[in-house]
Amino acid sequence: MSDDALKDLQTAYQNGDLNLYLGAGVSAPSGLPNWKQLVVSMYFRYMNIEHWHSIRPFPNYLYAIGQWYLDKTGESLDIIIRKLKSGLHEEEFLKFLYESLYNQLDGASIKNPFENASTNQLLTEITALASQPNRTLNSIITYNFDDLLEQSFQSKNISYTSIFENRTFPQQGSIPIYHPHGFMPFDNNLPTLQSTGNLILSEDDYNSIANNSHHWANLIQTSRLTQGTGLMIGLSFSDRNLRRLIDLIANIPLHTNNYIFLKRNSMPEFTEKDSKDIKQKADAILDKMKHAAIKVDEEVYKNSQMILNELFRMDEIITHRVFDEMRIKPIWFSEYSEISDFVRRIRE
């Protein structure tokens, strides 16, 4: 990992100018679902309750069935959310979201995900950043609905303010934790729109925010992205609202200084079966091209692995170029444990 990036982030942290942007990768080690798992498990739980009264699968099977279904059907997650919204009342939808978020899909009693769970090392290191007596974080923007960060801060008596709507302001001397996509804390097991803020889940939710340039969440994110130094942790850039805001600041003539952790792609093991599968697919495509009267070269290539190796090499170069255009500096890692080690070194 980059020594220059580490020194820059250490300086920003020491000066109180460091902003953190947190995604699902921060909560996942505590057993919480990512966005895909959350949406699919909500839908299959709904189908289970409505149509399969005699079947009560455990959460791990529900996740697995949902992922298999998506892989086989290619069903859009946005369409699934719309199906849920059309079939559920507002209170029911929020209840399903709460129970799916905290992994209680089998009807068992709700339990705190921190209890009897292995330590979330990344969350521990982020909390340690906020607990230093002579240093502080400027702000934290989390795109997660859960309150694992707040629970962790409470355990260390760290002063914070959770902000998920425009009527809440940071308390003096506290670290602001912004939830631009809404907030569903663990102790609020009967959520309402008033208690969660505006939840951003589906395409129409994103569009409503995108079309409102004065929305408080857009203003906060743009402000933080163009001031101080940012570190994005656990984000995969599947968040289209974040991508839109980053594209916006890329064209603003202001200094920006933001970093993101990115996993380095590695070439998977290439077996004889993989080679045969590729040839079979290539032959099937060739046959379709012939029937469509498309002129093709019928030579059979046997260097698929070499092509894939080159593909992975070029992909990293292109990724660098894309992030340069967005004015964000990647910090590459190979193993997820490297992230928590890097965060720990920021406060050293």
Side-chain angles (χ1 to χ4, degrees):
M1 289 190 173
S2 170
D3 289 336
D4 291 339
L6 178 60
K7 291 177 182 177
D8 193 13
L9 290 164
Q10 285 174 332
T11 300
Y13 175 57
Q14 292 163 4
N15 294 335
D17 293 329
L18 182 60
N19 301 303
L20 300 183
Y21 304 85
L22 310 182
V26 174
S27 297
S30 293
L32 269 65
N34 59 32
W35 181 65
K36 177 179 178 180
Q37 292 171 328
L38 179 66
V39 173
V40 174
S41 54
M42 284 177 67
Y43 182 61
F44 273 79
R45 185 176 187 277
Y46 165 68
M47 295 295 289
N48 180 27
I49 289 175
E50 291 294 308
H51 307 288
W52 310 335
H53 298 285
S54 62
I55 305 173
R56 301 295 294 174
F58 286 103
N60 58 322
Y61 272 90
L62 211 51
Y63 284 151
I65 292 169
Q67 290 176 353
W68 179 90
Y69 175 82
L70 269 188
D71 291 340
K72 294 297 182 182
T73 64
E75 180 79 273
S76 164
L77 293 177
D78 286 312
I79 297 301
I80 289 178
I81 297 170
R82 292 197 178 204
K83 288 180 180 178
L84 283 168
K85 286 184 174 180
S86 69
L88 295 168
H89 296 300
E90 178 183 294
E91 296 80 8
E92 291 177 318
F93 181 85
L94 293 175
K95 181 175 181 289
F96 271 40
L97 177 57
Y98 175 87
E99 294 179 348
S100 299
L101 178 63
Y102 292 110
N103 293 316
Q104 304 302 318
L105 310 184
D106 59 349
S109 60
I110 300 293
K111 294 183 179 180
N112 190 317
F114 267 4
E115 292 179 353
N116 303 320
S118 57
T119 301
N120 182 334
Q121 193 58 44
L122 180 53
L123 193 58
T124 298
E125 295 300 339
I126 291 171
T127 302
L129 274 181
S131 64
Q132 299 301 299
N134 299 321
R135 300 173 185 174
T136 186
L137 295 170
N138 186 39
S139 67
I140 298 175
I141 295 176
T142 174
Y143 299 96
N144 301 325
F145 298 136
D146 64 76
D147 69 334
L148 291 188
L149 183 65
E150 282 87 348
Q151 290 186 49
S152 185
F153 277 22
Q154 287 175 17
S155 70
K156 299 297 182 182
N157 296 315
I158 299 170
S159 178
Y160 66 87
T161 304
S162 298
I163 302 169
F164 55 93
E165 38 101 42
N166 63 355
R167 293 171 294 179
T168 305
F169 298 91
Q171 297 176 4
Q172 185 68 30
S174 71
I175 297 175
I177 302 178
Y178 296 99
H179 290 264
H181 288 178
F183 187 38
M184 190 164 281
F186 173 77
D187 62 4
N188 180 22
N189 60 0
L190 293 174
T192 65
L193 279 182
Q194 289 71 36
S195 66
T196 64
N198 189 19
L199 294 176
I200 308 299
L201 260 176
S202 61
E203 187 174 22
D204 54 326
D205 296 329
Y206 282 96
N207 290 339
S208 68
I209 295 294
N211 293 328
N212 184 358
S213 60
H214 298 293
H215 191 280
W216 73 268
N218 288 340
L219 294 174
I220 287 294
Q221 291 173 92
T222 304
S223 170
R224 293 299 184 268
L225 286 165
T226 55
Q227 297 175 23
T229 297
L231 178 60
M232 302 176 185
I233 308 173
L235 287 166
S236 65
F237 268 80
S238 60
D239 184 328
R240 72 199 93 180
N241 190 44
L242 179 62
R243 292 198 307 269
R244 180 184 60 81
L245 289 169
I246 288 171
D247 285 338
L248 174 65
I249 66 169
N251 297 311
I252 295 177
L254 292 172
H255 172 73
T256 60
N257 192 33
N258 297 299
Y259 295 86
I260 186 170
F261 285 109
L262 288 181
K263 194 173 191 304
R264 192 181 303 278
N265 287 329
S266 58
M267 174 66 188
E269 181 184 359
F270 192 80
T271 65
E272 184 67 26
K273 181 181 182 302
D274 293 322
S275 181
K276 290 178 180 178
D277 287 345
I278 289 176
K279 184 180 184 304
Q280 186 177 16
K281 288 181 174 63
D283 289 344
I285 294 171
L286 179 64
D287 188 57
K288 290 181 180 179
M289 288 179 171
K290 287 179 178 178
H291 282 87
I294 299 174
K295 186 176 181 180
V296 293
D297 187 346
E298 297 189 31
E299 182 180 351
V300 177
Y301 289 93
K302 298 181 180 180
N303 56 352
S304 299
Q305 186 168 10
M306 184 185 74
I307 293 171
L308 286 171
N309 284 332
E310 181 64 12
L311 174 66
F312 272 79
R313 188 187 70 82
M314 289 301 299
D315 180 69
E316 188 167 306
I317 293 173
I318 294 170
T319 301
H320 267 290
R321 187 184 308 150
V322 169
F323 279 94
D324 282 343
E325 291 171 356
M326 293 190 296
R327 293 157 66 187
I328 297 180
K329 295 165 241 185
I331 302 174
W332 295 97
F333 67 92
S334 299
E335 302 294 335
Y336 286 101
S337 60
E338 297 174 38
I339 299 178
S340 56
D341 290 339
F342 189 97
V343 173
R344 173 182 52 77
R345 292 170 63 193
I346 291 175
R347 60 184 168 85
E348 291 180 343

